[in-house]
Coordinates of all heavy atoms in Angstrom, one line a residue:
M1 N -168.5 135.9 47.2 CA -169.2 134.7 47.7 C -170.4 135.2 48.4 O -170.5 136.1 49.2 CB -168.2 134.0 48.7 CG -168.8 132.8 49.4 SD -167.6 132.0 50.5 CE -166.9 130.9 49.3
S2 N -171.5 134.5 48.2 CA -172.8 134.8 48.8 C -172.9 134.6 50.3 O -172.1 133.8 50.8 CB -173.9 134.1 48.1 OG -173.9 132.7 48.5
A3 N -173.8 135.2 50.9 CA -174.0 135.0 52.4 C -174.3 133.5 52.7 O -173.8 132.9 53.6 CB -175.1 135.9 52.9
D4 N -175.1 132.9 51.8 CA -175.4 131.5 52.0 C -174.2 130.6 51.9 O -174.0 129.7 52.6 CB -176.5 131.0 51.0 CG -177.8 131.5 51.3 OD1 -178.1 131.8 52.5 OD2 -178.7 131.5 50.4
A5 N -173.3 130.9 50.9 CA -172.0 130.2 50.8 C -171.1 130.3 52.0 O -170.5 129.4 52.4 CB -171.3 130.6 49.5
V6 N -171.1 131.5 52.5 CA -170.3 131.8 53.7 C -170.8 131.0 54.9 O -170.1 130.3 55.6 CB -170.2 133.3 54.0 CG1 -169.6 133.5 55.4 CG2 -169.4 134.0 53.0
R7 N -172.2 131.0 55.0 CA -172.8 130.3 56.1 C -172.5 128.8 56.0 O -172.2 128.1 57.0 CB -174.3 130.5 56.0 CG -175.1 130.1 57.3 CD -176.5 130.4 57.3 NE -176.7 131.9 57.1 CZ -177.2 132.4 56.0 NH1 -177.6 131.7 55.0 NH2 -177.4 133.7 55.9
R8 N -172.6 128.2 54.8 CA -172.3 126.8 54.6 C -170.8 126.5 54.9 O -170.5 125.5 55.5 CB -172.6 126.4 53.1 CG -174.1 126.2 52.9 CD -174.3 125.6 51.5 NE -173.7 126.3 50.4 CZ -174.2 127.2 49.7 NH1 -175.4 127.7 50.0 NH2 -173.6 127.8 48.7
W9 N -169.9 127.4 54.6 CA -168.5 127.2 54.9 C -168.3 127.2 56.4 O -167.6 126.4 56.9 CB -167.7 128.4 54.2 CG -166.3 128.3 54.5 CD1 -165.4 127.6 53.8 CD2 -165.5 129.0 55.5 NE1 -164.1 127.7 54.3 CE2 -164.2 128.6 55.3 CE3 -165.9 129.8 56.5 CZ2 -163.2 129.1 56.1 CZ3 -164.9 130.3 57.3 CH2 -163.5 129.9 57.1
I10 N -169.0 128.1 57.1 CA -168.9 128.2 58.5 C -169.4 126.9 59.2 O -168.8 126.3 60.0 CB -169.6 129.4 59.1 CG1 -168.8 130.7 58.7 CG2 -169.7 129.3 60.6 CD1 -169.5 132.0 59.0
V11 N -170.6 126.5 58.7 CA -171.2 125.3 59.3 C -170.4 124.1 59.1 O -170.2 123.2 60.0 CB -172.6 125.1 58.7 CG1 -173.2 123.7 59.0 CG2 -173.6 126.2 59.1
R12 N -169.7 123.9 57.9 CA -168.8 122.8 57.7 C -167.7 122.7 58.7 O -167.1 121.7 58.9 CB -168.3 122.8 56.3 CG -169.3 122.4 55.2 CD -168.6 122.1 53.9 NE -167.8 123.2 53.4 CZ -168.3 124.1 52.5 NH1 -169.5 124.1 52.1 NH2 -167.4 125.0 52.1
R13 N -167.3 123.9 59.2 CA -166.2 123.9 60.1 C -166.5 123.9 61.6 O -165.7 123.9 62.5 CB -165.4 125.2 59.9 CG -164.4 124.9 58.7 CD -164.2 126.1 57.8 NE -163.4 125.8 56.7 CZ -163.8 125.2 55.6 NH1 -165.1 124.8 55.5 NH2 -163.1 124.9 54.6
C14 N -167.8 123.8 61.9 CA -168.3 123.7 63.3 C -167.9 122.3 63.8 O -168.0 121.3 63.2 CB -169.8 123.9 63.4 SG -170.4 125.5 63.1
V15 N -167.4 122.3 65.0 CA -167.1 121.1 65.7 C -168.0 121.0 66.9 O -168.3 122.0 67.6 CB -165.6 121.0 66.1 CG1 -164.7 120.9 64.9 CG2 -165.2 122.2 67.0
V16 N -168.3 119.8 67.3 CA -169.1 119.6 68.5 C -168.2 119.7 69.7 O -167.2 119.1 69.8 CB -169.8 118.2 68.5 CG1 -170.6 118.0 69.7 CG2 -170.7 118.1 67.2
S17 N -168.6 120.6 70.6 CA -167.9 120.8 71.8 C -168.2 119.7 72.9 O -169.3 119.3 73.0 CB -168.2 122.2 72.4 OG -167.6 122.3 73.7
D18 N -167.1 119.2 73.5 CA -167.3 118.2 74.6 C -167.8 118.9 75.9 O -168.2 118.3 76.9 CB -166.1 117.4 74.9 CG -165.7 116.5 73.7 OD1 -166.7 116.1 73.0 OD2 -164.5 116.2 73.5
S19 N -167.7 120.2 76.0 CA -168.0 121.0 77.2 C -169.5 121.1 77.3 O -170.2 121.3 76.3 CB -167.3 122.4 77.1 OG -167.8 123.2 78.1
E20 N -170.0 121.1 78.6 CA -171.4 121.3 78.8 C -171.6 122.8 78.9 O -172.8 123.3 78.8 CB -171.8 120.7 80.1 CG -171.8 119.1 80.0 CD -172.3 118.4 81.2 OE1 -173.0 119.1 82.0 OE2 -172.0 117.3 81.4
E21 N -170.6 123.6 79.0 CA -170.7 125.1 79.0 C -170.5 125.6 77.6 O -169.8 125.0 76.8 CB -169.6 125.7 79.9 CG -169.7 125.3 81.4 CD -170.9 125.8 82.1 OE1 -171.3 127.0 81.8 OE2 -171.5 125.1 82.9
P22 N -171.2 126.7 77.3 CA -171.0 127.2 75.9 C -169.6 127.7 75.7 O -168.9 128.2 76.7 CB -172.0 128.4 75.9 CG -172.2 128.8 77.3 CD -172.0 127.5 78.1
V23 N -169.1 127.5 74.5 CA -167.8 128.0 74.1 C -167.9 128.8 72.8 O -168.8 128.5 72.0 CB -166.7 126.9 74.0 CG1 -166.5 126.2 75.3 CG2 -167.1 125.9 73.0
A24 N -166.9 129.7 72.6 CA -166.9 130.5 71.4 C -167.0 129.5 70.2 O -166.3 128.5 70.1 CB -165.7 131.3 71.3
G25 N -167.9 129.8 69.3 CA -168.0 129.1 68.0 C -169.2 128.1 68.1 O -169.6 127.6 67.0
D26 N -169.7 127.8 69.3 CA -170.9 126.9 69.3 C -172.0 127.5 68.5 O -172.3 128.7 68.6 CB -171.4 126.8 70.8 CG -170.6 125.8 71.6 OD1 -169.7 125.1 71.1 OD2 -170.8 125.8 72.9
S27 N -172.5 126.6 67.6 CA -173.5 127.1 66.6 C -174.8 126.4 66.8 O -174.8 125.1 67.0 CB -173.0 126.9 65.2 OG -173.9 127.3 64.3
Y28 N -175.9 127.1 66.8 CA -177.2 126.5 67.0 C -178.2 126.9 65.9 O -178.2 128.1 65.5 CB -177.8 127.0 68.4 CG -176.9 126.6 69.5 CD1 -175.9 127.5 70.0 CD2 -177.1 125.4 70.2 CE1 -175.1 127.2 71.0 CE2 -176.3 125.1 71.3 CZ -175.3 126.0 71.7 OH -174.5 125.7 72.8
D29 N -179.1 126.0 65.5 CA -180.2 126.3 64.6 C -181.5 126.1 65.4 O -181.7 125.0 65.9 CB -180.2 125.4 63.4 CG -179.1 125.7 62.4 OD1 -178.8 126.9 62.3 OD2 -178.7 124.8 61.7
H30 N -182.2 127.2 65.6 CA -183.5 127.1 66.3 C -184.6 126.6 65.5 O -184.6 126.8 64.2 CB -183.8 128.5 66.9 CG -182.8 129.0 67.9 ND1 -182.9 128.7 69.2 CD2 -181.8 129.8 67.7 CE1 -181.9 129.3 69.8 NE2 -181.2 130.0 69.0
P31 N -185.6 125.9 66.1 CA -186.7 125.4 65.3 C -187.5 126.5 64.5 O -188.1 126.2 63.4 CB -187.7 124.8 66.3 CG -186.8 124.6 67.5 CD -185.7 125.6 67.5
D32 N -187.4 127.7 64.9 CA -188.2 128.8 64.2 C -187.4 129.4 63.1 O -187.8 130.4 62.5 CB -188.6 129.9 65.2 CG -187.4 130.5 65.9 OD1 -186.3 130.2 65.7 OD2 -187.7 131.4 66.8
G33 N -186.2 128.8 62.8 CA -185.4 129.3 61.6 C -184.3 130.2 62.0 O -183.5 130.6 61.1
K34 N -184.2 130.6 63.3 CA -183.1 131.5 63.7 C -181.8 130.6 63.8 O -181.9 129.5 64.2 CB -183.4 132.2 65.0 CG -184.5 133.1 65.0 CD -184.8 133.7 66.4 CE -186.1 134.5 66.4 NZ -187.2 133.7 66.9
S35 N -180.7 131.3 63.6 CA -179.4 130.7 63.8 C -178.6 131.5 64.8 O -178.8 132.7 64.8 CB -178.5 130.6 62.5 OG -179.2 129.8 61.5
E36 N -177.9 130.9 65.7 CA -177.2 131.6 66.8 C -175.8 131.0 67.0 O -175.6 129.8 66.9 CB -178.0 131.5 68.0 CG -177.5 132.4 69.1 CD -178.6 132.5 70.2 OE1 -179.6 131.8 70.2 OE2 -178.4 133.4 71.1
V37 N -174.8 131.9 67.1 CA -173.4 131.4 67.3 C -172.9 132.2 68.6 O -173.0 133.4 68.7 CB -172.6 131.8 66.1 CG1 -171.1 131.3 66.3 CG2 -173.1 131.1 64.9
V38 N -172.2 131.4 69.4 CA -171.6 131.9 70.6 C -170.3 132.7 70.2 O -169.5 132.1 69.5 CB -171.3 130.9 71.7 CG1 -170.5 131.4 72.8 CG2 -172.5 130.2 72.1
Y39 N -170.2 133.9 70.6 CA -169.1 134.7 70.2 C -168.1 134.8 71.4 O -166.9 134.7 71.2 CB -169.5 136.1 69.9 CG -168.4 137.1 69.6 CD1 -167.6 136.9 68.4 CD2 -168.0 138.1 70.4 CE1 -166.6 137.8 68.1 CE2 -167.0 138.9 70.2 CZ -166.3 138.8 69.0 OH -165.2 139.6 68.7
L40 N -168.6 135.0 72.6 CA -167.7 135.2 73.8 C -168.4 134.7 75.0 O -169.6 134.9 75.2 CB -167.4 136.7 73.9 CG -166.6 137.1 75.1 CD1 -165.2 136.7 75.0 CD2 -166.7 138.7 75.2
V41 N -167.7 134.0 75.9 CA -168.2 133.6 77.2 C -167.2 134.2 78.2 O -166.0 133.9 78.2 CB -168.2 132.1 77.4 CG1 -168.7 131.7 78.8 CG2 -169.1 131.4 76.3
E42 N -167.7 135.0 79.1 CA -166.9 135.7 80.1 C -167.6 136.1 81.3 O -168.8 136.6 81.3 CB -166.3 137.0 79.4 CG -165.3 137.7 80.2 CD -164.7 138.9 79.4 OE1 -163.8 138.7 78.6 OE2 -165.2 140.0 79.6
D43 N -167.1 135.8 82.5 CA -167.7 136.1 83.8 C -169.1 135.5 83.9 O -170.0 136.2 84.4 CB -167.7 137.6 84.0 CG -166.3 138.2 84.1 OD1 -165.4 137.4 84.6 OD2 -166.1 139.3 83.7
G44 N -169.3 134.3 83.4 CA -170.6 133.7 83.5 C -171.7 134.3 82.5 O -172.8 133.9 82.5
R45 N -171.3 135.2 81.6 CA -172.2 135.7 80.6 C -171.8 135.2 79.2 O -170.7 134.9 79.0 CB -172.1 137.3 80.6 CG -172.5 137.8 82.0 CD -172.5 139.3 82.0 NE -173.5 139.8 81.1 CZ -174.2 140.9 81.3 NH1 -174.0 141.6 82.4 NH2 -175.1 141.3 80.4
V46 N -172.8 135.2 78.4 CA -172.6 134.6 77.0 C -173.1 135.7 76.0 O -174.2 136.2 76.0 CB -173.4 133.3 76.8 CG1 -173.2 132.8 75.4 CG2 -173.1 132.3 77.9
L47 N -172.2 136.0 75.1 CA -172.5 136.9 74.0 C -172.6 136.1 72.7 O -171.8 135.3 72.4 CB -171.4 138.0 73.8 CG -171.5 139.0 72.6 CD1 -172.8 139.8 72.8 CD2 -170.3 139.8 72.5
T48 N -173.8 136.3 72.0 CA -174.0 135.5 70.8 C -174.4 136.5 69.7 O -174.8 137.6 69.9 CB -175.2 134.5 71.0 OG1 -176.4 135.2 71.1 CG2 -174.9 133.6 72.1
F49 N -174.3 135.9 68.5 CA -174.8 136.6 67.3 C -176.0 135.7 66.8 O -175.8 134.5 66.8 CB -173.8 136.7 66.2 CG -172.8 137.8 66.5 CD1 -171.5 137.4 67.1 CD2 -173.0 139.1 66.3 CE1 -170.6 138.4 67.4 CE2 -172.1 140.1 66.6 CZ -170.9 139.7 67.2
R50 N -177.1 136.4 66.5 CA -178.3 135.6 66.1 C -178.7 136.1 64.7 O -178.7 137.3 64.4 CB -179.4 135.8 67.0 CG -180.7 135.0 66.7 CD -181.7 135.2 67.7 NE -181.5 134.2 68.8 CZ -182.3 134.0 69.7 NH1 -183.5 134.6 69.8 NH2 -182.0 133.1 70.7
E51 N -179.0 135.2 63.8 CA -179.5 135.5 62.5 C -181.0 135.1 62.4 O -181.3 134.0 62.7 CB -178.7 134.8 61.4 CG -179.2 135.1 60.0 CD -178.4 134.3 58.9 OE1 -177.7 133.4 59.3 OE2 -178.6 134.6 57.8
Y52 N -181.8 136.0 61.9 CA -183.2 135.8 61.7 C -183.5 135.4 60.3 O -182.8 136.0 59.4 CB -184.0 137.0 62.2 CG -183.9 137.3 63.6 CD1 -182.8 138.0 64.2 CD2 -184.8 136.8 64.5 CE1 -182.7 138.3 65.5 CE2 -184.7 137.0 65.9 CZ -183.7 137.8 66.4 OH -183.6 138.0 67.7
P53 N -184.5 134.6 60.0 CA -184.8 134.2 58.6 C -185.5 135.4 57.9 O -185.5 135.3 56.6 CB -185.7 133.0 58.8 CG -186.3 133.2 60.1 CD -185.3 133.8 61.0
S54 N -185.9 136.4 58.6 CA -186.6 137.5 57.9 C -186.6 138.7 58.8 O -186.5 138.6 60.0 CB -188.0 137.2 57.4 OG -188.8 137.0 58.6
V55 N -186.9 139.9 58.2 CA -187.0 141.1 59.0 C -188.3 141.0 59.9 O -188.3 141.4 61.1 CB -187.2 142.4 58.1 CG1 -187.6 143.6 58.9 CG2 -185.9 142.6 57.3
E56 N -189.3 140.3 59.4 CA -190.5 140.1 60.1 C -190.3 139.3 61.4 O -190.8 139.6 62.5 CB -191.6 139.5 59.3 CG -192.1 140.4 58.2 CD -191.2 140.4 56.9 OE1 -190.3 139.6 56.8 OE2 -191.4 141.4 56.1
A57 N -189.5 138.2 61.3 CA -189.2 137.4 62.4 C -188.4 138.2 63.5 O -188.6 138.0 64.7 CB -188.4 136.1 62.0
F58 N -187.5 139.0 63.0 CA -186.7 139.8 63.9 C -187.6 140.8 64.7 O -187.6 140.9 65.9 CB -185.6 140.6 63.2 CG -185.0 141.7 64.0 CD1 -184.1 141.4 65.0 CD2 -185.4 143.0 63.9 CE1 -183.5 142.4 65.8 CE2 -184.8 144.0 64.7 CZ -183.9 143.7 65.6
E59 N -188.5 141.5 63.9 CA -189.4 142.4 64.5 C -190.4 141.8 65.5 O -190.6 142.3 66.6 CB -190.2 143.2 63.4 CG -189.3 144.1 62.7 CD -189.9 144.8 61.5 OE1 -191.0 144.3 61.1 OE2 -189.4 145.8 61.0
A60 N -190.8 140.6 65.2 CA -191.7 139.8 66.1 C -191.0 139.5 67.4 O -191.6 139.6 68.5 CB -192.2 138.6 65.5
T61 N -189.7 139.2 67.3 CA -188.9 138.8 68.5 C -188.6 140.0 69.4 O -188.7 139.9 70.6 CB -187.6 138.1 68.1 OG1 -187.9 136.9 67.3 CG2 -186.8 137.7 69.3
V62 N -188.3 141.1 68.8 CA -187.9 142.3 69.6 C -189.1 143.2 69.9 O -188.9 144.2 70.6 CB -186.8 143.1 68.9 CG1 -185.6 142.3 68.7 CG2 -187.3 143.7 67.6
D63 N -190.3 142.8 69.5 CA -191.5 143.6 69.7 C -191.7 144.0 71.2 O -192.0 145.2 71.5 CB -192.7 142.9 69.2 CG -194.0 143.8 69.3 OD1 -193.9 144.9 68.9 OD2 -195.0 143.2 69.7
G64 N -191.5 143.1 72.1 CA -191.7 143.5 73.5 C -190.4 143.9 74.2 O -190.4 144.2 75.4
A65 N -189.3 144.0 73.5 CA -188.0 144.3 74.2 C -187.9 145.9 74.3 O -188.5 146.6 73.5 CB -186.9 143.8 73.3
A66 N -187.1 146.3 75.2 CA -186.8 147.7 75.4 C -185.6 148.1 74.5 O -184.5 147.5 74.6 CB -186.5 148.0 76.8
Y67 N -185.8 149.0 73.5 CA -184.8 149.5 72.6 C -183.8 150.3 73.4 O -184.2 151.2 74.2 CB -185.4 150.2 71.5 CG -184.3 150.8 70.5 CD1 -183.6 149.9 69.7 CD2 -184.0 152.1 70.5 CE1 -182.6 150.3 68.8 CE2 -183.0 152.6 69.6 CZ -182.4 151.7 68.8 OH -181.4 152.1 67.9
R68 N -182.5 150.0 73.3 CA -181.5 150.7 74.1 C -180.6 151.6 73.3 O -179.6 152.1 73.7 CB -180.6 149.7 74.8 CG -181.4 148.7 75.7 CD -181.1 149.0 77.1 NE -181.9 148.1 77.9 CZ -181.9 148.2 79.2 NH1 -181.1 149.1 79.8 NH2 -182.6 147.4 79.9
G69 N -180.9 151.8 72.0 CA -180.1 152.7 71.2 C -179.1 151.9 70.5 O -179.1 150.7 70.4
I70 N -178.1 152.6 69.9 CA -177.0 152.0 69.1 C -175.8 151.7 70.0 O -175.3 152.6 70.7 CB -176.6 152.9 68.0 CG1 -177.8 153.0 67.0 CG2 -175.4 152.3 67.2 CD1 -177.6 154.0 65.9
D71 N -175.3 150.5 70.0 CA -174.1 150.1 70.7 C -172.9 150.5 69.7 O -172.7 149.9 68.7 CB -174.1 148.6 71.0 CG -172.8 148.2 71.8 OD1 -171.7 148.5 71.3 OD2 -173.0 147.5 72.7
E72 N -172.2 151.6 70.1 CA -171.2 152.1 69.2 C -170.1 151.1 68.9 O -169.5 151.1 67.8 CB -170.6 153.4 69.8 CG -171.6 154.5 69.8 CD -172.1 154.9 68.4 OE1 -171.4 154.8 67.4 OE2 -173.3 155.4 68.3
A73 N -169.7 150.3 69.9 CA -168.7 149.3 69.7 C -169.0 148.3 68.6 O -168.2 147.9 67.8 CB -168.3 148.5 71.0
V74 N -170.3 147.8 68.6 CA -170.7 146.9 67.6 C -170.9 147.6 66.3 O -170.6 147.1 65.2 CB -172.0 146.2 68.0 CG1 -172.6 145.4 66.9 CG2 -171.8 145.3 69.3
A75 N -171.5 148.8 66.3 CA -171.7 149.6 65.1 C -170.4 149.9 64.4 O -170.4 150.0 63.1 CB -172.5 150.9 65.4
G76 N -169.3 150.0 65.1 CA -168.0 150.3 64.5 C -167.3 149.1 63.9 O -166.2 149.3 63.3
L77 N -167.8 147.9 64.1 CA -167.2 146.7 63.5 C -167.3 146.8 62.0 O -168.3 147.3 61.4 CB -167.9 145.4 64.0 CG -167.7 145.1 65.5 CD1 -168.6 143.9 65.9 CD2 -166.2 144.8 65.8
P78 N -166.3 146.2 61.3 CA -166.4 146.3 59.8 C -167.6 145.5 59.3 O -168.0 144.5 59.9 CB -165.0 145.6 59.4 CG -164.6 144.9 60.6 CD -165.2 145.5 61.8
G79 N -168.1 145.9 58.2 CA -169.2 145.2 57.5 C -168.7 144.1 56.7 O -167.4 143.9 56.6
R80 N -169.6 143.3 56.1 CA -169.1 142.1 55.4 C -168.3 142.5 54.2 O -167.5 141.6 53.7 CB -170.3 141.2 55.0 CG -171.2 141.8 54.0 CD -172.3 140.9 53.7 NE -173.2 141.4 52.7 CZ -174.3 140.9 52.3 NH1 -174.6 139.7 52.8 NH2 -175.0 141.4 51.4
E81 N -168.4 143.7 53.7 CA -167.5 144.1 52.5 C -166.0 144.1 52.9 O -165.2 143.9 52.1 CB -167.9 145.5 52.0 CG -167.7 146.6 53.0 CD -168.9 146.8 54.0 OE1 -169.9 146.1 53.9 OE2 -168.7 147.7 54.9
A82 N -165.7 144.2 54.2 CA -164.3 144.1 54.7 C -163.7 142.7 54.4 O -162.5 142.6 54.4 CB -164.2 144.5 56.1
F83 N -164.6 141.7 54.3 CA -164.2 140.4 54.1 C -164.3 139.9 52.7 O -164.1 138.7 52.4 CB -164.9 139.5 55.1 CG -164.8 139.9 56.5 CD1 -165.8 140.7 57.1 CD2 -163.7 139.6 57.3 CE1 -165.7 141.1 58.4 CE2 -163.5 140.1 58.6 CZ -164.5 140.8 59.1
A84 N -164.7 140.8 51.8 CA -165.1 140.4 50.4 C -163.8 139.8 49.7 O -164.0 139.0 48.8 CB -165.6 141.6 49.7
E85 N -162.7 140.2 50.1 CA -161.4 139.8 49.4 C -161.0 138.4 49.9 O -160.1 137.8 49.2 CB -160.3 140.8 49.6 CG -160.7 142.2 49.2 CD -160.0 142.6 47.9 OE1 -159.0 142.0 47.6 OE2 -160.5 143.5 47.2
L86 N -161.6 137.9 50.9 CA -161.2 136.6 51.4 C -161.6 135.5 50.4 O -162.8 135.5 49.9 CB -161.8 136.3 52.8 CG -161.4 137.1 54.0 CD1 -162.1 136.7 55.2 CD2 -159.9 136.9 54.2
D87 N -160.7 134.6 50.1 CA -161.1 133.5 49.2 C -161.4 132.3 50.1 O -160.5 131.5 50.4 CB -160.0 133.2 48.2 CG -160.4 132.2 47.2 OD1 -161.5 131.7 47.2 OD2 -159.5 131.9 46.3
L88 N -162.6 132.2 50.5 CA -163.0 131.1 51.4 C -163.0 129.7 50.8 O -162.9 128.7 51.4 CB -164.4 131.4 52.0 CG -164.5 132.7 52.9 CD1 -165.9 132.9 53.4 CD2 -163.5 132.6 54.0
D89 N -163.1 129.7 49.4 CA -163.1 128.4 48.7 C -161.7 127.8 48.9 O -161.6 126.6 49.0 CB -163.4 128.6 47.2 CG -164.8 129.0 47.0 OD1 -165.7 128.5 47.8 OD2 -165.1 129.7 46.0
D90 N -160.6 128.6 49.0 CA -159.3 128.0 49.1 C -159.1 127.4 50.5 O -158.3 126.5 50.7 CB -158.2 129.1 48.9 CG -158.0 129.4 47.5 OD1 -158.5 128.6 46.6 OD2 -157.4 130.4 47.1
A91 N -159.9 127.9 51.5 CA -159.8 127.4 52.9 C -160.5 126.1 53.1 O -160.3 125.5 54.2 CB -160.3 128.5 53.8
E92 N -161.3 125.6 52.2 CA -162.1 124.4 52.4 C -161.2 123.2 52.7 O -161.6 122.3 53.4 CB -163.0 124.1 51.1 CG -164.1 125.1 51.1 CD -165.1 124.7 50.0 OE1 -165.0 123.6 49.5 OE2 -165.9 125.6 49.6
G93 N -160.0 123.2 52.2 CA -159.1 122.0 52.4 C -158.4 122.1 53.8 O -157.7 121.2 54.1
D94 N -158.6 123.2 54.5 CA -158.0 123.4 55.8 C -158.6 122.7 57.0 O -158.1 122.8 58.1 CB -157.9 124.9 56.1 CG -157.0 125.6 55.1 OD1 -156.2 124.9 54.4 OD2 -157.1 126.9 55.0
S95 N -159.7 122.0 56.8 CA -160.5 121.5 57.9 C -159.9 120.3 58.6 O -159.0 119.7 58.3 CB -161.9 121.2 57.6 OG -162.0 120.3 56.4

């Protein structure tokens, strides 16, 4: 399944939260083409994953940021190939 198909599958399962505070799974599309999903909210902090529409957009965003090296906990997470065996088409009826 392509990355676009997985993204569409995820978007179809997003529900609007009644909470004014961010909750895990909240999904946002930014006007500049970036997509962002809340992963964890803990102790008043919010961890998100953000997808950029291109390498150039990512580089423009982090251009002024201080590079902190590699976060080993994140680097150790499985890649998308770990999920290649999932049949997400079968899950479409589960919503």
Side-chain angles (χ1 to χ4, degrees):
M1 176 175 273
S2 72
D4 285 337
V6 170
R7 191 174 306 109
R8 285 191 304 272
W9 181 83
I10 291 169
V11 168
R12 283 196 303 268
R13 277 146 184 80
C14 289
V15 294
V16 178
S17 171
D18 292 333
S19 173
E20 291 184 21
E21 298 293 320
V23 296
D26 281 350
S27 181
Y28 302 89
D29 286 328
H30 296 275
D32 61 1
K34 295 179 189 96
S35 297
E36 190 164 10
V37 178
V38 174
Y39 177 71
L40 177 69
V41 179
E42 187 173 278
D43 298 327
R45 299 181 66 144
V46 181
L47 175 62
T48 68
F49 287 97
R50 181 177 278 192
E51 178 183 12
Y52 294 85
S54 66
V55 171
E56 293 80 16
F58 168 77
E59 290 174 345
T61 300
V62 300
D63 184 45
Y67 179 71
R68 304 247 177 187
I70 296 173
D71 183 310
E72 294 297 332
V74 174
L77 293 172
R80 67 180 181 182
E81 64 277 356
F83 305 98
E85 304 255 339
L86 293 177
D87 189 358
L88 299 178
D89 289 330
D90 284 345
E92 287 185 18
D94 294 343
S95 51

